Amino acid sequence: MIEIKNLHKQFNDKPVLVDINLSVPQGQVLTIIGPSGSGKSTLLRCINLLEQPNKGEIIIDKEVVSNSNIQKIRQKVGMVFQHFNLFPHMTVLQNITYAPKKILGLSETESKTRARDLLKLVGLTNFEKFLPSKLSGGQKQRVAIARTLAMHPEVILFDEPTSALDPEMVKEVLQVIESLAHTGITMIIVTHEMKFAEKVSDRILFIDHGKILEDTTPKKFFSSPKSSRAKEFLSKVL
Amino acid sequence: MNFDSIIYIIEGISVTLQYTLVSIIFGLIFGVSISLCKLSSLKTLRWFGIFYVSIFRGTPLLVQLSIIYFSTPAITNYNISVFEAGIIAFSLNSAAYITEIIRAGIESVDKGQFEAAKALGLSYKLTIKDIILPQALRNILPALANEVVNLLKETAIISVLGGADIMRRANIISSEHYIYFAPLITAAVCYYVMVVIFTSFAKYLEHRLKIA
């Protein structure tokens, strides 16, 4: 369960998020949609404090997120980045086993077994000895998802996971993300893939100029958006 | 200039190497410590790091060396040897440059690497040790090799205080025989050969690192 209360964020006096209130129950798949610069990535990055909010509270599992407990909280709130951010000096397998070994205290064998299961899940069984530089963008992102899953997160934040990919690699990544939906993990996804959002989400958030303009089901959002800004946006992207 | 004079100058290599090696070892120890200060979350330590680098980069090495050599006996009553003064001055000076090399190396690592490590819940210490430093090393090593070469050449300053290094020996021969060209060229060749040997070794290391 994630709760966001009165969240404000500004960059050099420019407001990016204005009084955001949001509550996401465990297991929900929430997609955040909006034009670029609307604040959707910033909202995502405020949840695990990669950005410091200027005002407001974030509460995860009844704990108010702060700088003193953030390291613990990040261990159950995974994040998948637009640019993958795999560790380039480690093999695929090491990328996945590193954090569970160092943080969760898993043994070498435990972490490897888990990593191999995850590589199977993302369809990269034979790639464990590869360095990230030898992988395609789609493969890198699937490894990054496996790396996040290895920590057994309760929540995964997806920050435009397919925006840096070549078009023909988007699908393989979306399929993996889709397979994780409704397995108990809370997923908050920032994406520009509208068809995917419609198919996979329980709930859509439409943000513009740092405000939530729509908070509804995918069906309602895509068939009959309420705000004129959302109508205009959808007419351009669909 | 006879053969013995040439041998006499060449034997200075061992002295020059002693200064270089001992100073670079201490320089590395201090340099790593001070760059940790600069990365620290404590403001006082950060300020100390900035202050240190600014002082030692902002004044000539010869001045630093002279202050250490000539004022230590007056202030502490300890009769400092030329070797000790040289090692202290060279280590402290090169520590400042090594600090900056390490800082630049760490800053050259993609910001996304810090974020990925943070998002996994890694501590700052583990992030630096296992994620950032191994990547920074690729940028740090070539610059560090450069610093070793610089230091090796700069140790010639010790001849001013009478340390019997290559340069000092060349000067002695010059004034004994009233010839300058041959002894000084001999000294130059000594330095050059050492630098070339070291540089090719560093290149080899760099190459191995790139493959790994």
Side-chain angles (χ1 to χ4, degrees):
Chain A
M1 173 84 167
I2 300 174
E3 273 187 277
I4 298 172
K5 287 181 184 166
N6 309 106
L7 180 74
H8 284 261
K9 173 71 187 172
Q10 53 192 47
F11 290 120
N12 312 320
D13 296 340
K14 187 181 169 283
V16 184
L17 294 173
V18 185
D19 198 21
I20 299 282
N21 287 284
L22 182 67
S23 166
V24 189
Q26 184 63 38
Q28 190 172 67
V29 180
L30 169 72
T31 301
I32 306 175
I33 291 175
S36 27
S38 58
K40 46 193 193 314
S41 277
T42 308
L43 173 56
L44 204 65
R45 291 163 58 86
C46 279
I47 295 174
N48 66 351
L49 289 200
L50 285 186
E51 299 290 352
Q52 290 281 341
N54 295 92
K55 234 165 69 183
E57 268 184 350
I58 291 150
I59 301 157
I60 297 176
D61 287 343
K62 299 193 180 79
E63 257 191 291
V64 179
V65 178
S66 71
N67 283 323
S68 54
N69 64 9
I70 187 60
Q71 202 180 317
K72 269 262 164 315
I73 285 176
R74 280 173 181 151
Q75 291 168 17
K76 52 185 182 183
V77 180
M79 187 168 208
V80 174
F81 298 88
Q82 181 177 359
H83 295 288
F84 333 123
N85 299 347
L86 291 176
F87 305 133
H89 58 298
M90 296 184 186
T91 64
V92 164
L93 196 70
Q94 287 166 339
N95 262 283
I96 303 171
T97 57
Y98 175 76
K101 267 194 300 192
K102 292 284 174 174
I103 299 171
L104 304 179
L106 259 58
S107 73
E108 186 77 29
T109 13
E110 282 172 309
S111 62
K112 273 188 180 164
T113 316
R114 169 119 184 99
R116 289 191 176 118
D117 288 345
L118 288 169
L119 280 175
K120 199 171 158 199
L121 178 83
V122 300
L124 291 171
T125 303
N126 295 321
F127 290 83
E128 57 179 66
K129 290 204 177 73
F130 281 52
L131 282 174
S133 56
K134 295 276 180 286
L135 303 179
S136 72
Q139 290 167 336
K140 280 182 196 163
Q141 194 60 298
R142 285 186 281 155
V143 173
I145 293 171
R147 177 176 69 176
T148 305
L149 286 171
M151 288 295 287
H152 288 285
E154 291 169 23
V155 181
I156 303 183
L157 311 170
F158 291 91
D159 189 5
E160 303 200 26
T162 59
S163 296
L165 297 178
D166 288 339
E168 73 257 42
M169 288 165 188
V170 170
K171 205 170 161 193
E172 63 189 52
V173 172
L174 292 183
Q175 275 169 348
V176 170
I177 298 176
E178 203 183 330
S179 74
L180 301 175
H182 309 112
T183 58
I185 305 174
T186 309
M187 292 167 51
I188 305 182
I189 308 169
V190 170
T191 186
H192 293 291
E193 300 289 333
M194 296 303 149
K195 284 219 176 73
F196 169 73
E198 187 170 8
K199 191 161 82 172
V200 79
S201 328
D202 300 316
R203 180 177 170 194
I204 300 270
L205 226 54
F206 180 76
I207 294 190
D208 193 27
H209 292 299
K211 287 183 192 139
I212 299 176
L213 298 187
E214 310 237 358
D215 180 355
T216 178
T217 63
K219 210 172 180 178
K220 279 191 187 146
F221 178 74
F222 286 102
S223 59
S224 52
K226 284 177 292 177
S227 65
S228 57
R229 187 67 189 90
K231 277 178 200 155
E232 187 194 336
F233 177 78
L234 284 175
S235 72
K236 278 181 188 156
V237 296
L238 287 181
Chain B
M1 191 173 78
N2 56 25
F3 184 68
D4 283 351
S5 306
I6 296 178
I7 293 296
Y8 177 69
I9 295 174
I10 290 177
E11 277 171 355
I13 287 181
S14 77
V15 178
T16 294
L17 278 180
Q18 270 177 40
Y19 277 104
T20 311
L21 270 175
V22 179
S23 305
I24 204 72
I25 289 168
F26 282 114
L28 265 174
I29 295 169
F30 295 150
V32 170
S33 319
I34 298 163
S35 47
L36 287 178
C37 287
K38 279 188 102 171
L39 290 169
S40 159
S41 51
L42 289 174
K43 224 178 189 165
T44 6
L45 283 182
R46 279 207 309 273
W47 273 104
F48 167 72
I50 292 168
F51 180 71
Y52 182 93
V53 171
S54 155
I55 293 291
F56 279 91
R57 286 204 310 184
T59 53
L61 179 56
L62 183 57
V63 175
Q64 295 163 13
L65 179 65
S66 305
I67 291 175
I68 290 166
Y69 183 65
F70 293 114
S71 63
T72 303
I75 296 171
T76 65
N77 240 341
Y78 174 71
N79 215 344
I80 195 166
S81 69
V82 171
F83 185 72
E84 287 163 342
I87 294 299
I88 293 173
F90 296 147
S91 324
L92 294 182
N93 183 272
S94 95
Y97 288 94
I98 289 171
T99 300
E100 284 306 283
I101 288 170
I102 293 173
R103 182 195 55 79
I106 286 175
E107 278 176 9
S108 70
V109 176
D110 179 26
K111 214 173 94 247
Q113 294 291 311
F114 282 96
E115 291 193 343
K118 264 191 202 171
L120 283 168
L122 279 176
S123 67
Y124 185 68
K125 215 168 124 190
L126 275 181
T127 305
I128 292 288
K129 180 168 133 309
D130 290 343
I131 309 298
I132 305 303
L133 269 187
Q135 298 181 59
L137 223 51
R138 286 169 190 230
N139 292 315
I140 289 176
L141 275 191
L144 212 51
N146 210 14
E147 173 56 23
V148 175
V149 167
N150 266 334
L151 184 63
L152 178 90
K153 291 183 295 180
E154 296 223 322
T155 57
I157 286 182
I158 204 67
S159 65
V160 173
L161 300 183
D165 72 330
I166 300 169
M167 187 60 196
R168 172 73 180 153
R169 287 161 188 251
N171 279 333
I172 289 172
I173 300 294
S174 296
S175 45
E176 266 177 13
H177 301 275
Y178 301 105
I179 49 165
Y180 292 92
F181 187 71
L184 289 174
I185 283 293
T186 310
V189 169
C190 288
Y191 284 111
Y192 182 69
V193 169
M194 283 194 286
V195 169
V196 167
I197 291 173
F198 176 76
T199 314
S200 43
F201 175 67
K203 274 253 162 63
Y204 167 78
L205 268 187
E206 239 178 83
H207 183 70
R208 295 251 336 228
L209 205 71
K210 260 189 199 128
I211 296 169

